[in-house]
Every structure is written in C-alpha cells, then in structure tokens.
Amino acid sequence: MVRLEGTGIGGGIAVGRARVLEVASRDVPRRRIDSAETDAEQLRLAQAVGQVKAELAGLVESLPKGAPTEAAALLEVHAMILDDPALSGAAREAIVEHLWNAEWALSAQAGHLAAQFEALEDAYLRERGRDVQQVADRVMRALAGLGGPAADVSEPVIFVAEDISPADMLTMRSALGFAIDLGGITSHTAILARSMNVPAVVGLGAARARVQDDDWLILDGDAGVVIVAPDAGVLADYRARQAAGERERVELRRLTGVAAVTRDGAAVALQVNIERPDEAAAAADSGASGVGLFRSEFLFMNRAELPGEEEQFEAYRTVVRAMQGRPVTIRTIDVGADKTLNAGAASASVATNPALGRRAIRYSLAQPEVFLAQLRAILRASADGPVRLLVPMIAHHHEVDSLMRLLGQAREQLRESGQAFDAELAVGAMIEVPAAALCAGYFASRLDFLSIGTNDLIQYTLAIDRADHEVASLYDPFHPAVLRLVAGTIEAGRRAGRPVSVCGEMAGDWRATRLLLGMGL
Ligand code: PEP
Ligand code: MG
C-alpha cells in the first residue's frame, strides 16, 4: 500500500482500477533529415496539424447537451494554439533551418514555448504552458499515425497520467477519477475535472511512476490523496466513507434553504470555510450565511513568487462578490508548519518544531512589506461588500499593537492613493494558542471579534501534532482541557460584548454542536 499526496480538486472519493496513460511526447523520435526531405517533412507536419484540427472541431461538434460550459471554450483555445505561428509555423521553419524531422522540430518549439510560459509571474498564465504541451502531444500522436485520444477511454477506471489534455479528458466520460502528476488548481485539466464533477487529484508528482495498470486505487479528491493497492481494511473504510458521502450529499442538499435556528429559536450563523476563490460560488449556493474563514495562504503556496497586492485584491473581491452581501472573513496568511511556501518565494524558516516556529502572524510581522500588501488588498476588497479581517495565531499583546500599527499604515496608504475601503472593517483574532484562550478577555477588549481555531487549539493544548498519524488517536476535541478553553473564550467574548465563532473542524462535528451552543456560541 502506497499513499501519494497532491492537490485535491474535489468530487469526493473514487475506488477503482488504474489505467496509466502514456504521454506521446515522452520519447520523441529525433532524426536529422536530408535537405531534399524538408518539403516532405513540412507537409507531414501540416497534415498532422490538419488532422488534429479536424479532431478538435469534431469534438466541439459532438459535445453532448450536458457537457460542461467550459468544454467548448477549452477546445477552441487548443485549436487557436494549433493555429498559432509560434508553434507549428516555427516548427516548420526549424525543419528547414536545422534539418530536424517534424517530431523533433515540434517538440523543441513546444518545449521552448512552455518554458516561456513557465517563467511568467501569473499562476494562471503559467499553467497555459501545459496547454501548449498538450496540443503538441496530440500532434505528436498524429505524426505517429495514432489518431484520437491517448487511450481506450470507455472503461470505468481511474486515469493516471503525467497530464491529460482537456480534449482527451472530455472523451473520458466514464472515468471514475483522475490522478495527475502535473498541474495546479488553475490548470485547465483541473477546471474541467471540477466541472465534470469527477474526483481528481493533481500535482501528485510521481503517480505515473508508482502506479501500474489494473492496480486498485482509492482516490480522495477532497483530501488530495491517492492510495495505491490499499489493504482490505483501508478499502472497506473508504468504500463506507464513499457510500456515506453520497448519502449525505443527497440528504444535505435538501436542507439548503432551511434556516439555521435551534428549537428554542436561537439563530445560528452557519458559514463555510474556503481555501480558493473559485469555491465561493458553491459556498454561496450552499445557503451559507457567509464565509467564516477564507484561508488566504493557499493563494501563496505552490508557486515561485508571492502574489502581489493586485492579484490578491482580485481574489478577495471575487469571493466578496460571489457572496452577494453576506460577510466574508479573510484570514491573513497562515504559513509555516504543514503549510510551507516554495523555496525562494519567501524566507520561511526551517525549524526543528515548525508548528512552534515562525508561523502565521509571526511570519507576517517578520515580513511587513508582504503583510502590508495583503492588508491593503483585503481593505480594498471591503469596498465591494462586507469583509472581516482575521489574524491567525495571536498570542501576545504586542502582536495586536503591531497589527494595529500596520493596519493604520495600510489605511493611510490607501487614502493617499485615493482607493476606497470600509473604514469600519472589523478586525478579529483567531484563538488557537492556549495562551490566547486563557487571555481571551484581553483580546476581546482590543478587537471586534474572536474566532476559535480548534484544530490548532487542540494540537497546542494536548501537545499532539495534528498531522502525525501515530498520535492521531490522542487528538481529542472533547478533552476537558480543550473544552474549558473553548468555553472560557466564548464566555470572555460574551462579557466583552464581542461575537465569538468557531472556524476549526469542531464546528462541523455534529457531536459538538449542542455542547458548543450550550456554551453560548
Ligand atoms: C484552526 O486551527 O482551527 C483553523 C481553522 O486554522 P487552520 O486549520 O487553517 O490551521
Ligand atoms: Mg489554525
């Protein structure tokens, strides 16, 4: 049994046999040609391009009625790349100039273009290099005399690949899931998998090398996990989870419009946690009364450069607009511990105990320019709808002082540049360090609201690494010490007249619901 981790695209759990896909461009047949052959080689390339163009047009024509709306657009993008002189035109020139065969010329040019995209700062544009590669792979298959998709795609299997082009993915209608080595959440492959509602994990790195055809796989598209050759116990566990997940989804859907009110008439603000802006639409659709926690650090991870103020502003505004007037709580970045930034992107420390190191607000205060850019972006998004700013891992009074000073500076900078923002923007602290819970009254007196991060509060109270499976059985939300800290925080908020919410997983644990409401949450 092998466990692989990547980026989950969602879609729930799939269990099935693996079908490993080859990539056409992997072994490019390179041959130097004679100068007399250049015309014939150019013609061969032009015919292959023509064949792929016809295939793509055919796919657009044959899209079924229920096909995802993005499908036709993605196919058109690929047709445009195919037509672009920077790809096939330059490859034709390379045939003449270097006396390369068509495959060699095409793969060299595709590689060159992909590298140019790879160097771009914008994550979305960077992913477009994969589209170029996918188009080239398709032409490569045509040059090899193979038409159509990369595999027999009619079987209900989990496809495992280095990458899958949107065009190929569309033909894999019976797929149970996708396990893909490349790509991030903005890859077209990911976008399409999401809109097809098929469980998918991207960015796995080595799935293709570790999985063989017909291996049994468990693919958890929500957790971003693929388990290869699971043992019987694990398989039974996931099958049960899969069945329960499906039952639950059907049941929960029926409750979307029901007001969250206790039997004795107390209204409960039931909000969602999100990690990416593109989750906001589903959040709004779910009937949530707001976003209780937007983990902004996911905008900063898996990339070479940190996102600037504009990119962040766009992301925050997307969420605010999608929520249509319902409050959005944006947490400033919580990096460190299990959420690391890529090397070179920022000076994250390598500590013996990263969970106790320069995490969250400690990291932000050590990088004031990065923090200021984020504060400005969040403030600017507040001009579009109700936003609350939430700061993780607060434990010291001087952290509040520094936060307020920097926030004042960010407001001043925006006033100077004439940018709009909500001057009354609520500022809150996460209570996730026992010291903060014990001093919750102080934090409540200085801030507008508190939000209890039970995931970390349990970890730090019980000295249990939340990511360590060997001590997972000791990670107990109902330990009396944890409950005392939670109850004390709620009580401190009540006394100070400040709202208190829970944004940790405990808020989604039905066993804790009555207890938390009874504590006055
Ligand atoms: C928490 O600690 O409970 C929390 C919500 O933050 P995160 O899970 O992102 O650490
Ligand atoms: Mg936390």
Side-chain angles (χ1 to χ4, degrees):
M1 188 167 93
V2 175
R3 184 186 154 96
L4 304 169
E5 289 186 13
T7 305
I9 297 305
I13 292 169
V15 178
R17 297 267 190 195
R19 179 68 65 247
V20 183
L21 303 178
E22 295 302 323
V23 175
S25 57
R26 179 161 299 277
D27 303 306
V28 177
R30 291 190 171 82
R31 184 172 68 83
R32 227 172 256 290
I33 57 171
D34 201 272
S35 51
E37 286 178 83
T38 53
D39 282 353
E41 207 58 14
Q42 282 188 316
L43 183 63
R44 207 163 71 81
L45 179 59
Q47 282 170 343
V49 168
Q51 179 184 328
V52 172
K53 210 184 282 184
E55 280 171 19
L56 292 174
L59 277 170
V60 175
E61 288 294 307
S62 64
L63 281 176
K65 253 176 97 196
T69 46
E70 294 91 342
L74 297 185
L75 291 171
E76 272 152 27
V77 167
H78 277 204
M80 278 160 63
I81 293 172
L82 200 56
D83 269 340
D84 198 306
L87 183 63
S88 43
R92 272 201 304 278
E93 283 167 22
I95 291 174
V96 179
E97 201 176 318
H98 304 297
L99 296 177
W100 288 343
N101 65 343
E103 287 88 342
W104 190 351
L106 181 71
S107 81
Q109 190 53 24
H112 175 62
L113 287 175
Q116 285 182 350
F117 276 103
E118 188 56 37
L120 294 176
E121 200 174 308
D122 183 280
Y124 180 82
L125 289 177
R126 249 197 335 267
E127 284 286 356
R128 304 290 68 82
R130 299 241 41 80
D131 292 278
V132 174
Q133 206 68 63
Q134 289 167 348
V135 170
D137 285 347
R138 222 177 160 89
V139 178
M140 218 60 104
R141 285 208 298 272
L143 282 168
L146 306 166
D152 175 2
V153 291
S154 57
E155 300 166 278
V157 291
I158 296 177
F159 288 101
V160 180
E162 184 181 49
D163 197 9
I164 301 177
S165 74
D168 282 349
M169 189 172 261
L170 277 171
T171 64
M172 300 174 180
R173 283 185 235 288
S174 52
L176 298 175
F178 298 107
I180 299 170
D181 282 341
L182 300 176
I185 50 173
T186 64
S187 66
H188 274 149
T189 307
I191 294 169
L192 203 55
R194 205 175 297 126
S195 60
M196 286 166 77
N197 213 9
V198 175
V201 182
V202 299
L204 280 160
R208 210 173 144 280
R210 310 285 295 268
V211 178
Q212 314 236 336
D213 265 349
D214 290 332
D215 277 349
W216 274 103
L217 298 183
I218 294 170
L219 186 145
D220 186 338
D222 299 322
V225 168
V226 174
I227 298 172
V228 188
D231 56 39
V234 172
L235 193 58
D237 178 34
Y238 270 91
R239 281 211 192 276
R241 279 204 231 175
Q242 187 184 27
E246 269 150 32
R247 277 196 306 274
E248 199 182 8
R249 259 191 289 279
V250 172
E251 283 299 310
L252 290 179
R253 204 68 220 163
R254 299 206 312 224
L255 295 177
T256 302
V258 176
V261 180
T262 62
R263 281 193 201 161
D264 59 350
V268 178
L270 199 51
Q271 310 198 334
V272 296
N273 286 4
I274 61 170
E275 278 78 42
R276 301 185 306 259
D278 59 8
E279 291 172 300
D285 202 34
S286 72
S289 66
V291 171
L293 174 67
F294 176 9
R295 291 183 164 98
S296 70
E297 60 274 12
F298 282 82
L299 297 172
F300 290 69
M301 289 155 63
N302 292 323
R303 52 191 292 166
E305 303 281 339
L306 299 182
E309 179 182 330
E310 281 312 307
E311 185 183 336
Q312 288 183 61
F313 167 58
E314 286 299 334
Y316 304 147
R317 191 170 62 169
T318 300
V319 177
V320 171
R321 288 187 173 168
M323 292 309 291
Q324 300 167 1
R326 285 171 269 180
V328 175
T329 306
I330 304 174
R331 175 173 76 182
T332 60
I333 55 172
D334 178 9
V335 292
D338 56 337
K339 289 180 283 198
T340 51
L341 297 177
N342 283 5
S347 53
S349 67
V350 181
T352 324
N353 288 307
L356 306 182
R358 188 179 273 180
R359 236 195 104 172
I361 184 67
R362 304 171 187 175
Y363 170 84
S364 291
L365 293 179
Q367 312 272 340
E369 288 308 316
V370 176
F371 197 32
L372 272 171
Q374 176 162 46
L375 294 176
R376 286 194 301 270
I378 295 172
L379 280 165
R380 284 171 60 195
S382 72
D384 269 70
V387 169
R388 309 195 311 165
L389 184 140
L390 180 62
V391 181
M393 286 276 292
I394 285 256
H396 300 269
H397 67 92
H398 52 79
E399 288 167 341
V400 181
D401 298 337
S402 305
L403 166 68
M404 291 309 184
R405 184 172 44 75
L406 287 165
L407 203 51
Q409 223 170 305
R411 288 195 182 102
E412 201 45 47
Q413 290 166 343
L414 292 180
R415 274 193 204 102
E416 275 168 20
S417 59
Q419 312 247 39
F421 62 90
D422 173 10
E424 306 293 316
L425 175 106
V427 180
M430 283 189 74
I431 301 298
E432 46 187 352
V433 178
L438 291 168
C439 299
Y442 170 78
F443 294 103
S445 74
R446 294 209 53 197
L447 295 160
D448 300 311
F449 68 97
L450 303 178
S451 183
I452 308 175
T454 49
N455 305 342
D456 277 312
L457 187 60
I458 297 165
Q459 147 163 286
Y460 293 127
T461 304
L462 301 180
I464 302 295
D465 184 338
R466 61 194 263 195
D468 185 345
H469 67 276
E470 289 184 1
V471 287
S473 63
L474 299 173
Y475 185 91
D476 180 10
F478 299 99
H479 190 293
V482 173
L483 297 181
R484 271 188 212 172
L485 293 176
V486 170
T489 303
I490 295 169
E491 175 58 17
R494 193 190 60 76
R495 274 206 222 122
R498 296 286 185 268
V500 179
S501 48
V502 171
C503 61
E505 291 304 299
M506 202 170 168
D509 183 343
W510 60 268
R511 296 171 306 164
T513 306
R514 290 176 189 205
L515 186 58
L516 291 171
L517 294 179
M519 287 174 179
L521 184 77

